[in-house]
């Protein structure tokens, strides 16, 4: 691969009318930035941030043409830093990958060596991308709740955005760790799938909003993982049991919340922010080891749909149409 001058990638381009197009093209190695570590990408995965980048959202990616892909799993071509050897299997997620640095939806990436971690020996590259940023974020949410003291005996854990990448893996991981899970979704037709993932109860997400105008509501859930933000997040907080916490990791509904501090003071609840982008490298290595051991799900293939690189434009559009179900793993070598 190091002797090949061109590779295949998804390219997002800004048009003269300020619209954005996305197509599969051949790119030259010289199009990549000068960095120590060069990787042949085998697999990537699709995330909401990739969809935003691919749509031309300049809060995510400022410079076009651009190759999205905030996840990458592959083998080392070369590493000038000496951190890795040629052929090593490595994983990359977070930092600037796929935002303004050409990302994992291209067959080659060039990054700083300290953005990558070794792939755990108990995970294949495809299994790692079945988790990807969405799955790792789910694991980080659970770990954050655990650090706060959460345990299965506390009571049910609510999960919003249950059919999405973070939500679906959250349900499966929580179930594996012994938690009772209440799944919230706007897609009632996916109830059987959510039950199969491990949810003991499936409710429409709008039921969370029943306490919208009240400072607090009846306590229902011990803890929660929220991917929506906005009124859904405030609704979860208002209905937490005393001492409970919400791990907040998304803003699909809104980045804003508006509520009083009453539930925080009278019930001692916590709002826990979860970052998967700029956490220290050692923390990234630790969470990958957890998903390779106590958080490794059986039958990982059942949690993902594999697609080719050529299919990514179609599947990225699904994020804005409310059609995403589970995880999409991209076989980047299948162009």
């Amino acid at each position: 691969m190091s002797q090949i001058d061109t590779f295949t990638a998804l390219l997002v381009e800004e048009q003269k009318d300020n619209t954005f197009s996305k197509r599969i093209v051949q790119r030259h190695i010289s199009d990549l930035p000068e960095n120590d570590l060069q990787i042949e990408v085998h697999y990537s995965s699709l995330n909401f941030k990739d969809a935003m980048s691919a749509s031309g959202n300049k809060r995510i990616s400022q410079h076009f043409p651009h190759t999205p892909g905030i996840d990458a799993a592959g083998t080392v071509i070369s590493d000038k830093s000496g951190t890795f050897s040629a052929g090593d299997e490595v994983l990359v997620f977070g930092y600037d990958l796929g935002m303004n640095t050409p990302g994992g939806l291209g067959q080659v990436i060039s990054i700083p060596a300290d953005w990558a971690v070794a792939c755990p020996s108990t995970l294949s590259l495809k299994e790692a991308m079945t988790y990807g940023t969405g799955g790792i974020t789910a694991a980080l949410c659970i770990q954050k709740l655990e650090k706060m003291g959460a345990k299965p005996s506390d009571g049910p854990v609510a999960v919003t955005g249950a059919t999405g990448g973070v939500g679906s893996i959250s349900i499966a991981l929580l179930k594996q760790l012994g938690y009772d899970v209440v799944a919230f979704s706007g897609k009632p037709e996916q109830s059987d799938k959510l039950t199969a993932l491990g949810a003991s109860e499936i409710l429409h997400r709008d039921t969370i909003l029943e306490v919208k105008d009240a400072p607090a509501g009846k306590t229902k859930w011990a803890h929660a993982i929220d991917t929506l933000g906005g009124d859904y997040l405030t609704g979860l907080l208002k209905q937490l049991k005393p001492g409970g916490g919400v791990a907040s990791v998304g803003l699909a509904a809104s980045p804003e919340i508006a509520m009083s501090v009453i539930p925080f003071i009278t019930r001692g609840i916590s709002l826990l922010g979860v970052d998967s982008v700029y956490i220290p490298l050692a923390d990234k290595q630790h969470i990958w080891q957890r998903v390779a051991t106590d958080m490794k799900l059986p039958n990982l293939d059942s949690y993902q749909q594999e697609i080719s690189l050529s299919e990514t434009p179609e599947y990225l559009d699904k994020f804005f149409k409310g059609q995403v179900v589970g995880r999409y793993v991209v076989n980047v070598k299948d162009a």
Side-chain angles (χ1 to χ4, degrees), residues 153-283:
S153 60
D154 292 343
V157 179
V159 177
T160 64
T163 61
V166 176
S168 61
I169 298 296
S170 292
I171 293 168
L173 289 175
L174 286 165
K175 176 66 175 179
Q176 177 163 297
L177 294 171
Y179 290 87
D180 181 28
V181 185
V182 179
F184 288 91
S185 173
K187 302 171 184 173
E189 70 277 6
Q190 296 294 328
S191 293
D192 288 346
K193 181 177 178 64
L194 294 174
T195 300
L197 285 171
S200 61
E201 186 176 9
I202 296 97
L203 299 173
H204 195 282
R205 65 184 184 183
D206 287 349
T207 61
I208 300 172
L209 305 178
E210 293 172 356
V211 294
K212 182 177 180 180
D213 298 323
K218 181 180 178 181
T219 58
K220 296 181 178 180
W221 312 291
H223 309 287
I225 294 174
D226 177 59
T227 68
L228 300 178
D231 291 339
Y232 295 100
L233 176 54
T234 60
L236 287 171
L237 289 163
K238 290 176 182 180
Q239 296 173 86
L240 274 186
K241 293 181 178 181
V246 177
S248 172
V249 76
L251 41 75
S254 172
E256 306 292 335
I257 58 172
M259 63 181 293
S260 78
V261 298
I262 288 175
F264 295 93
I265 295 171
T266 61
R267 295 175 179 170
I269 64 170
S270 299
L271 174 58
L272 309 169
V274 176
D275 167 45
S276 64
V277 179
Y278 292 109
I279 60 173
L281 191 64
D283 292 343

